[in-house]
Amino acid sequence: MGRSYTHRLRVRYGECDPQGVVFNAHYFAYFDVALTELWREVAGSYTAMMEQGVDLQVVEATARYRAPARFDDEIDVTIDVAKLGTTSLVTTLAIRRDGTLLVEGEVAHVFVDARTLSKIPIPDRIRTALEG
């Protein structure tokens, strides 16, 4: 539907479990890194967006694991804007190593006023940037 962004990461040793694969919770951190980089592209930065009174809250996050990533792998985290509602944003994410799908996920956010944390409509400038 909208903008797509890919960010490359290298798996660090401390992100792996005793079986030598990335511990499942770290994939959500990888999703967050890609989202932060997306905000840098569409809003200047996440901090800049917050300084303008806009924040986000995660309301749902899912992941489906297809294959493991391991220490020192270079992985690509792709985030796609799947849906823009009035106050919400749904992104789909895919983590790949050399084109092989490792993890796919979805994260739903609600836009909120940075001070009151009340839901707000997606600001027009952000909506336009996310539509790509």
Side-chain angles (χ1 to χ4, degrees), residues 9-16 20 22 30 69-75 97:
L9 297 168
R10 184 177 298 277
V11 174
R12 297 172 293 188
Y13 180 79
E15 296 164 342
C16 297
V22 172
Y30 299 159
R70 299 179 185 281
F71 169 63
D72 213 33
D73 282 353
E74 283 189 333
I75 56 175
R97 178 189 54 239

mmCIF file with all atom_site columns, all heavy atoms in Angstrom, residues 9-16 20 22 30 69-75 97:
data_model
loop_
_atom_site.group_PDB
_atom_site.id
_atom_site.type_symbol
_atom_site.label_atom_id
_atom_site.label_alt_id
_atom_site.label_comp_id
_atom_site.label_asym_id
_atom_site.label_entity_id
_atom_site.label_seq_id
_atom_site.pdbx_PDB_ins_code
_atom_site.Cartn_x
_atom_site.Cartn_y
_atom_site.Cartn_z
_atom_site.occupancy
_atom_site.B_iso_or_equiv
_atom_site.pdbx_formal_charge
_atom_site.auth_seq_id
_atom_site.auth_comp_id
_atom_site.auth_asym_id
_atom_site.auth_atom_id
_atom_site.pdbx_PDB_model_num
ATOM 1   N N   . LEU A 1 9  ? 21.220 -5.480  9.107  1.00 0.00 ? 9  LEU A N   1
ATOM 2   C CA  . LEU A 1 9  ? 21.826 -5.656  10.428 1.00 0.00 ? 9  LEU A CA  1
ATOM 3   C C   . LEU A 1 9  ? 22.755 -6.858  10.402 1.00 0.00 ? 9  LEU A C   1
ATOM 4   O O   . LEU A 1 9  ? 22.598 -7.754  9.570  1.00 0.00 ? 9  LEU A O   1
ATOM 5   C CB  . LEU A 1 9  ? 20.748 -5.942  11.486 1.00 0.00 ? 9  LEU A CB  1
ATOM 6   C CG  . LEU A 1 9  ? 19.694 -4.884  11.761 1.00 0.00 ? 9  LEU A CG  1
ATOM 7   C CD1 . LEU A 1 9  ? 18.579 -5.470  12.607 1.00 0.00 ? 9  LEU A CD1 1
ATOM 8   C CD2 . LEU A 1 9  ? 20.325 -3.714  12.475 1.00 0.00 ? 9  LEU A CD2 1
ATOM 9   N N   . ARG A 1 10 ? 23.683 -6.896  11.348 1.00 0.00 ? 10 ARG A N   1
ATOM 10  C CA  . ARG A 1 10 ? 24.513 -8.078  11.543 1.00 0.00 ? 10 ARG A CA  1
ATOM 11  C C   . ARG A 1 10 ? 24.171 -8.641  12.915 1.00 0.00 ? 10 ARG A C   1
ATOM 12  O O   . ARG A 1 10 ? 24.150 -7.914  13.903 1.00 0.00 ? 10 ARG A O   1
ATOM 13  C CB  . ARG A 1 10 ? 26.000 -7.738  11.466 1.00 0.00 ? 10 ARG A CB  1
ATOM 14  C CG  . ARG A 1 10 ? 26.888 -8.985  11.572 1.00 0.00 ? 10 ARG A CG  1
ATOM 15  C CD  . ARG A 1 10 ? 28.353 -8.646  11.418 1.00 0.00 ? 10 ARG A CD  1
ATOM 16  N NE  . ARG A 1 10 ? 28.702 -8.084  10.140 1.00 0.00 ? 10 ARG A NE  1
ATOM 17  C CZ  . ARG A 1 10 ? 28.958 -8.789  9.027  1.00 0.00 ? 10 ARG A CZ  1
ATOM 18  N NH1 . ARG A 1 10 ? 28.890 -10.102 9.055  1.00 0.00 ? 10 ARG A NH1 1
ATOM 19  N NH2 . ARG A 1 10 ? 29.286 -8.187  7.909  1.00 0.00 ? 10 ARG A NH2 1
ATOM 20  N N   . VAL A 1 11 ? 23.895 -9.938  12.978 1.00 0.00 ? 11 VAL A N   1
ATOM 21  C CA  . VAL A 1 11 ? 23.535 -10.594 14.236 1.00 0.00 ? 11 VAL A CA  1
ATOM 22  C C   . VAL A 1 11 ? 24.754 -10.609 15.152 1.00 0.00 ? 11 VAL A C   1
ATOM 23  O O   . VAL A 1 11 ? 25.840 -11.040 14.762 1.00 0.00 ? 11 VAL A O   1
ATOM 24  C CB  . VAL A 1 11 ? 23.038 -12.034 13.986 1.00 0.00 ? 11 VAL A CB  1
ATOM 25  C CG1 . VAL A 1 11 ? 22.803 -12.754 15.310 1.00 0.00 ? 11 VAL A CG1 1
ATOM 26  C CG2 . VAL A 1 11 ? 21.766 -12.026 13.138 1.00 0.00 ? 11 VAL A CG2 1
ATOM 27  N N   . ARG A 1 12 ? 24.549 -10.138 16.367 1.00 0.00 ? 12 ARG A N   1
ATOM 28  C CA  . ARG A 1 12 ? 25.609 -10.117 17.361 1.00 0.00 ? 12 ARG A CA  1
ATOM 29  C C   . ARG A 1 12 ? 25.543 -11.381 18.235 1.00 0.00 ? 12 ARG A C   1
ATOM 30  O O   . ARG A 1 12 ? 24.472 -11.974 18.418 1.00 0.00 ? 12 ARG A O   1
ATOM 31  C CB  . ARG A 1 12 ? 25.487 -8.869  18.229 1.00 0.00 ? 12 ARG A CB  1
ATOM 32  C CG  . ARG A 1 12 ? 25.671 -7.593  17.403 1.00 0.00 ? 12 ARG A CG  1
ATOM 33  C CD  . ARG A 1 12 ? 25.378 -6.365  18.182 1.00 0.00 ? 12 ARG A CD  1
ATOM 34  N NE  . ARG A 1 12 ? 23.947 -6.346  18.508 1.00 0.00 ? 12 ARG A NE  1
ATOM 35  C CZ  . ARG A 1 12 ? 23.327 -5.324  19.068 1.00 0.00 ? 12 ARG A CZ  1
ATOM 36  N NH1 . ARG A 1 12 ? 24.009 -4.241  19.390 1.00 0.00 ? 12 ARG A NH1 1
ATOM 37  N NH2 . ARG A 1 12 ? 22.045 -5.370  19.331 1.00 0.00 ? 12 ARG A NH2 1
ATOM 38  N N   . TYR A 1 13 ? 26.680 -11.776 18.769 1.00 0.00 ? 13 TYR A N   1
ATOM 39  C CA  . TYR A 1 13 ? 26.791 -13.005 19.565 1.00 0.00 ? 13 TYR A CA  1
ATOM 40  C C   . TYR A 1 13 ? 25.797 -13.007 20.729 1.00 0.00 ? 13 TYR A C   1
ATOM 41  O O   . TYR A 1 13 ? 25.144 -14.017 21.001 1.00 0.00 ? 13 TYR A O   1
ATOM 42  C CB  . TYR A 1 13 ? 28.224 -13.152 20.085 1.00 0.00 ? 13 TYR A CB  1
ATOM 43  C CG  . TYR A 1 13 ? 28.432 -14.389 20.903 1.00 0.00 ? 13 TYR A CG  1
ATOM 44  C CD1 . TYR A 1 13 ? 28.608 -15.626 20.287 1.00 0.00 ? 13 TYR A CD1 1
ATOM 45  C CD2 . TYR A 1 13 ? 28.460 -14.325 22.291 1.00 0.00 ? 13 TYR A CD2 1
ATOM 46  C CE1 . TYR A 1 13 ? 28.796 -16.778 21.037 1.00 0.00 ? 13 TYR A CE1 1
ATOM 47  C CE2 . TYR A 1 13 ? 28.652 -15.465 23.049 1.00 0.00 ? 13 TYR A CE2 1
ATOM 48  C CZ  . TYR A 1 13 ? 28.818 -16.688 22.420 1.00 0.00 ? 13 TYR A CZ  1
ATOM 49  O OH  . TYR A 1 13 ? 28.996 -17.812 23.162 1.00 0.00 ? 13 TYR A OH  1
ATOM 50  N N   . GLY A 1 14 ? 25.660 -11.874 21.418 1.00 0.00 ? 14 GLY A N   1
ATOM 51  C CA  . GLY A 1 14 ? 24.777 -11.784 22.582 1.00 0.00 ? 14 GLY A CA  1
ATOM 52  C C   . GLY A 1 14 ? 23.302 -11.917 22.258 1.00 0.00 ? 14 GLY A C   1
ATOM 53  O O   . GLY A 1 14 ? 22.482 -12.040 23.167 1.00 0.00 ? 14 GLY A O   1
ATOM 54  N N   . GLU A 1 15 ? 22.940 -11.893 20.981 1.00 0.00 ? 15 GLU A N   1
ATOM 55  C CA  . GLU A 1 15 ? 21.533 -12.040 20.584 1.00 0.00 ? 15 GLU A CA  1
ATOM 56  C C   . GLU A 1 15 ? 21.151 -13.500 20.349 1.00 0.00 ? 15 GLU A C   1
ATOM 57  O O   . GLU A 1 15 ? 19.999 -13.800 20.057 1.00 0.00 ? 15 GLU A O   1
ATOM 58  C CB  . GLU A 1 15 ? 21.269 -11.220 19.316 1.00 0.00 ? 15 GLU A CB  1
ATOM 59  C CG  . GLU A 1 15 ? 21.461 -9.733  19.555 1.00 0.00 ? 15 GLU A CG  1
ATOM 60  C CD  . GLU A 1 15 ? 21.594 -8.911  18.285 1.00 0.00 ? 15 GLU A CD  1
ATOM 61  O OE1 . GLU A 1 15 ? 21.885 -9.475  17.209 1.00 0.00 ? 15 GLU A OE1 1
ATOM 62  O OE2 . GLU A 1 15 ? 21.440 -7.685  18.391 1.00 0.00 ? 15 GLU A OE2 1
ATOM 63  N N   . CYS A 1 16 ? 22.138 -14.391 20.495 1.00 0.00 ? 16 CYS A N   1
ATOM 64  C CA  . CYS A 1 16 ? 21.898 -15.814 20.218 1.00 0.00 ? 16 CYS A CA  1
ATOM 65  C C   . CYS A 1 16 ? 21.668 -16.584 21.513 1.00 0.00 ? 16 CYS A C   1
ATOM 66  O O   . CYS A 1 16 ? 22.218 -16.255 22.565 1.00 0.00 ? 16 CYS A O   1
ATOM 67  C CB  . CYS A 1 16 ? 23.083 -16.406 19.459 1.00 0.00 ? 16 CYS A CB  1
ATOM 68  S SG  . CYS A 1 16 ? 23.309 -15.619 17.838 1.00 0.00 ? 16 CYS A SG  1
ATOM 69  N N   . GLY A 1 20 ? 22.584 -21.479 19.564 1.00 0.00 ? 20 GLY A N   1
ATOM 70  C CA  . GLY A 1 20 ? 23.347 -20.784 18.535 1.00 0.00 ? 20 GLY A CA  1
ATOM 71  C C   . GLY A 1 20 ? 22.513 -20.026 17.523 1.00 0.00 ? 20 GLY A C   1
ATOM 72  O O   . GLY A 1 20 ? 23.030 -19.613 16.487 1.00 0.00 ? 20 GLY A O   1
ATOM 73  N N   . VAL A 1 22 ? 19.372 -16.890 16.852 1.00 0.00 ? 22 VAL A N   1
ATOM 74  C CA  . VAL A 1 22 ? 18.846 -15.670 17.448 1.00 0.00 ? 22 VAL A CA  1
ATOM 75  C C   . VAL A 1 22 ? 17.672 -16.019 18.353 1.00 0.00 ? 22 VAL A C   1
ATOM 76  O O   . VAL A 1 22 ? 16.737 -16.726 17.950 1.00 0.00 ? 22 VAL A O   1
ATOM 77  C CB  . VAL A 1 22 ? 18.419 -14.667 16.352 1.00 0.00 ? 22 VAL A CB  1
ATOM 78  C CG1 . VAL A 1 22 ? 17.683 -13.477 16.957 1.00 0.00 ? 22 VAL A CG1 1
ATOM 79  C CG2 . VAL A 1 22 ? 19.633 -14.198 15.570 1.00 0.00 ? 22 VAL A CG2 1
ATOM 80  N N   . TYR A 1 30 ? 14.678 -6.181  16.224 1.00 0.00 ? 30 TYR A N   1
ATOM 81  C CA  . TYR A 1 30 ? 15.061 -5.904  14.839 1.00 0.00 ? 30 TYR A CA  1
ATOM 82  C C   . TYR A 1 30 ? 13.935 -5.160  14.114 1.00 0.00 ? 30 TYR A C   1
ATOM 83  O O   . TYR A 1 30 ? 14.199 -4.231  13.338 1.00 0.00 ? 30 TYR A O   1
ATOM 84  C CB  . TYR A 1 30 ? 15.384 -7.188  14.087 1.00 0.00 ? 30 TYR A CB  1
ATOM 85  C CG  . TYR A 1 30 ? 16.530 -8.005  14.635 1.00 0.00 ? 30 TYR A CG  1
ATOM 86  C CD1 . TYR A 1 30 ? 16.634 -9.346  14.318 1.00 0.00 ? 30 TYR A CD1 1
ATOM 87  C CD2 . TYR A 1 30 ? 17.515 -7.459  15.453 1.00 0.00 ? 30 TYR A CD2 1
ATOM 88  C CE1 . TYR A 1 30 ? 17.685 -10.126 14.787 1.00 0.00 ? 30 TYR A CE1 1
ATOM 89  C CE2 . TYR A 1 30 ? 18.569 -8.227  15.938 1.00 0.00 ? 30 TYR A CE2 1
ATOM 90  C CZ  . TYR A 1 30 ? 18.648 -9.554  15.594 1.00 0.00 ? 30 TYR A CZ  1
ATOM 91  O OH  . TYR A 1 30 ? 19.682 -10.322 16.065 1.00 0.00 ? 30 TYR A OH  1
ATOM 92  N N   . ALA A 1 69 ? 18.179 -17.305 12.210 1.00 0.00 ? 69 ALA A N   1
ATOM 93  C CA  . ALA A 1 69 ? 19.360 -16.500 11.926 1.00 0.00 ? 69 ALA A CA  1
ATOM 94  C C   . ALA A 1 69 ? 20.388 -16.882 12.982 1.00 0.00 ? 69 ALA A C   1
ATOM 95  O O   . ALA A 1 69 ? 20.042 -17.287 14.093 1.00 0.00 ? 69 ALA A O   1
ATOM 96  C CB  . ALA A 1 69 ? 19.040 -15.012 12.016 1.00 0.00 ? 69 ALA A CB  1
ATOM 97  N N   . ARG A 1 70 ? 21.656 -16.757 12.624 1.00 0.00 ? 70 ARG A N   1
ATOM 98  C CA  . ARG A 1 70 ? 22.748 -17.168 13.516 1.00 0.00 ? 70 ARG A CA  1
ATOM 99  C C   . ARG A 1 70 ? 23.766 -16.039 13.662 1.00 0.00 ? 70 ARG A C   1
ATOM 100 O O   . ARG A 1 70 ? 23.768 -15.081 12.881 1.00 0.00 ? 70 ARG A O   1
ATOM 101 C CB  . ARG A 1 70 ? 23.422 -18.413 12.959 1.00 0.00 ? 70 ARG A CB  1
ATOM 102 C CG  . ARG A 1 70 ? 22.473 -19.596 12.852 1.00 0.00 ? 70 ARG A CG  1
ATOM 103 C CD  . ARG A 1 70 ? 23.159 -20.833 12.278 1.00 0.00 ? 70 ARG A CD  1
ATOM 104 N NE  . ARG A 1 70 ? 22.208 -21.911 12.083 1.00 0.00 ? 70 ARG A NE  1
ATOM 105 C CZ  . ARG A 1 70 ? 21.745 -22.705 13.044 1.00 0.00 ? 70 ARG A CZ  1
ATOM 106 N NH1 . ARG A 1 70 ? 22.150 -22.542 14.284 1.00 0.00 ? 70 ARG A NH1 1
ATOM 107 N NH2 . ARG A 1 70 ? 20.872 -23.657 12.775 1.00 0.00 ? 70 ARG A NH2 1
ATOM 108 N N   . PHE A 1 71 ? 24.640 -16.194 14.638 1.00 0.00 ? 71 PHE A N   1
ATOM 109 C CA  . PHE A 1 71 ? 25.691 -15.220 14.899 1.00 0.00 ? 71 PHE A CA  1
ATOM 110 C C   . PHE A 1 71 ? 26.428 -14.849 13.617 1.00 0.00 ? 71 PHE A C   1
ATOM 111 O O   . PHE A 1 71 ? 26.784 -15.707 12.815 1.00 0.00 ? 71 PHE A O   1
ATOM 112 C CB  . PHE A 1 71 ? 26.681 -15.783 15.931 1.00 0.00 ? 71 PHE A CB  1
ATOM 113 C CG  . PHE A 1 71 ? 27.935 -14.973 16.062 1.00 0.00 ? 71 PHE A CG  1
ATOM 114 C CD1 . PHE A 1 71 ? 27.890 -13.669 16.514 1.00 0.00 ? 71 PHE A CD1 1
ATOM 115 C CD2 . PHE A 1 71 ? 29.155 -15.506 15.716 1.00 0.00 ? 71 PHE A CD2 1
ATOM 116 C CE1 . PHE A 1 71 ? 29.041 -12.913 16.620 1.00 0.00 ? 71 PHE A CE1 1
ATOM 117 C CE2 . PHE A 1 71 ? 30.323 -14.762 15.821 1.00 0.00 ? 71 PHE A CE2 1
ATOM 118 C CZ  . PHE A 1 71 ? 30.263 -13.465 16.279 1.00 0.00 ? 71 PHE A CZ  1
ATOM 119 N N   . ASP A 1 72 ? 26.619 -13.561 13.446 1.00 0.00 ? 72 ASP A N   1
ATOM 120 C CA  . ASP A 1 72 ? 27.370 -12.939 12.358 1.00 0.00 ? 72 ASP A CA  1
ATOM 121 C C   . ASP A 1 72 ? 26.643 -12.936 11.016 1.00 0.00 ? 72 ASP A C   1
ATOM 122 O O   . ASP A 1 72 ? 27.195 -12.453 10.031 1.00 0.00 ? 72 ASP A O   1
ATOM 123 C CB  . ASP A 1 72 ? 28.766 -13.564 12.208 1.00 0.00 ? 72 ASP A CB  1
ATOM 124 C CG  . ASP A 1 72 ? 29.789 -12.535 11.742 1.00 0.00 ? 72 ASP A CG  1
ATOM 125 O OD1 . ASP A 1 72 ? 29.659 -11.347 12.103 1.00 0.00 ? 72 ASP A OD1 1
ATOM 126 O OD2 . ASP A 1 72 ? 30.708 -12.911 10.992 1.00 0.00 ? 72 ASP A OD2 1
ATOM 127 N N   . ASP A 1 73 ? 25.426 -13.481 10.953 1.00 0.00 ? 73 ASP A N   1
ATOM 128 C CA  . ASP A 1 73 ? 24.641 -13.368 9.718  1.00 0.00 ? 73 ASP A CA  1
ATOM 129 C C   . ASP A 1 73 ? 24.334 -11.904 9.437  1.00 0.00 ? 73 ASP A C   1
ATOM 130 O O   . ASP A 1 73 ? 24.048 -11.131 10.361 1.00 0.00 ? 73 ASP A O   1
ATOM 131 C CB  . ASP A 1 73 ? 23.290 -14.099 9.847  1.00 0.00 ? 73 ASP A CB  1
ATOM 132 C CG  . ASP A 1 73 ? 23.376 -15.592 9.702  1.00 0.00 ? 73 ASP A CG  1
ATOM 133 O OD1 . ASP A 1 73 ? 24.456 -16.113 9.359  1.00 0.00 ? 73 ASP A OD1 1
ATOM 134 O OD2 . ASP A 1 73 ? 22.342 -16.258 9.947  1.00 0.00 ? 73 ASP A OD2 1
ATOM 135 N N   . GLU A 1 74 ? 24.366 -11.529 8.173  1.00 0.00 ? 74 GLU A N   1
ATOM 136 C CA  . GLU A 1 74 ? 23.838 -10.242 7.754  1.00 0.00 ? 74 GLU A CA  1
ATOM 137 C C   . GLU A 1 74 ? 22.396 -10.487 7.351  1.00 0.00 ? 74 GLU A C   1
ATOM 138 O O   . GLU A 1 74 ? 22.121 -11.355 6.506  1.00 0.00 ? 74 GLU A O   1
ATOM 139 C CB  . GLU A 1 74 ? 24.628 -9.668  6.588  1.00 0.00 ? 74 GLU A CB  1
ATOM 140 C CG  . GLU A 1 74 ? 25.943 -9.084  7.001  1.00 0.00 ? 74 GLU A CG  1
ATOM 141 C CD  . GLU A 1 74 ? 26.621 -8.333  5.866  1.00 0.00 ? 74 GLU A CD  1
ATOM 142 O OE1 . GLU A 1 74 ? 26.376 -8.660  4.679  1.00 0.00 ? 74 GLU A OE1 1
ATOM 143 O OE2 . GLU A 1 74 ? 27.392 -7.414  6.169  1.00 0.00 ? 74 GLU A OE2 1
ATOM 144 N N   . ILE A 1 75 ? 21.485 -9.732  7.965  1.00 0.00 ? 75 ILE A N   1
ATOM 145 C CA  . ILE A 1 75 ? 20.069 -9.908  7.687  1.00 0.00 ? 75 ILE A CA  1
ATOM 146 C C   . ILE A 1 75 ? 19.472 -8.579  7.234  1.00 0.00 ? 75 ILE A C   1
ATOM 147 O O   . ILE A 1 75 ? 19.910 -7.516  7.654  1.00 0.00 ? 75 ILE A O   1
ATOM 148 C CB  . ILE A 1 75 ? 19.302 -10.460 8.909  1.00 0.00 ? 75 ILE A CB  1
ATOM 149 C CG1 . ILE A 1 75 ? 19.505 -9.566  10.137 1.00 0.00 ? 75 ILE A CG1 1
ATOM 150 C CG2 . ILE A 1 75 ? 19.724 -11.900 9.202  1.00 0.00 ? 75 ILE A CG2 1
ATOM 151 C CD1 . ILE A 1 75 ? 18.694 -9.967  11.352 1.00 0.00 ? 75 ILE A CD1 1
ATOM 152 N N   . ARG A 1 97 ? 17.812 -13.463 4.975  1.00 0.00 ? 97 ARG A N   1
ATOM 153 C CA  . ARG A 1 97 ? 19.260 -13.634 4.852  1.00 0.00 ? 97 ARG A CA  1
ATOM 154 C C   . ARG A 1 97 ? 19.499 -14.133 3.440  1.00 0.00 ? 97 ARG A C   1
ATOM 155 O O   . ARG A 1 97 ? 18.989 -15.187 3.047  1.00 0.00 ? 97 ARG A O   1
ATOM 156 C CB  . ARG A 1 97 ? 19.782 -14.647 5.874  1.00 0.00 ? 97 ARG A CB  1
ATOM 157 C CG  . ARG A 1 97 ? 21.287 -14.908 5.762  1.00 0.00 ? 97 ARG A CG  1
ATOM 158 C CD  . ARG A 1 97 ? 21.753 -16.070 6.639  1.00 0.00 ? 97 ARG A CD  1
ATOM 159 N NE  . ARG A 1 97 ? 20.979 -17.262 6.350  1.00 0.00 ? 97 ARG A NE  1
ATOM 160 C CZ  . ARG A 1 97 ? 20.247 -17.932 7.262  1.00 0.00 ? 97 ARG A CZ  1
ATOM 161 N NH1 . ARG A 1 97 ? 20.201 -17.528 8.514  1.00 0.00 ? 97 ARG A NH1 1
ATOM 162 N NH2 . ARG A 1 97 ? 19.563 -18.998 6.911  1.00 0.00 ? 97 ARG A NH2 1
#
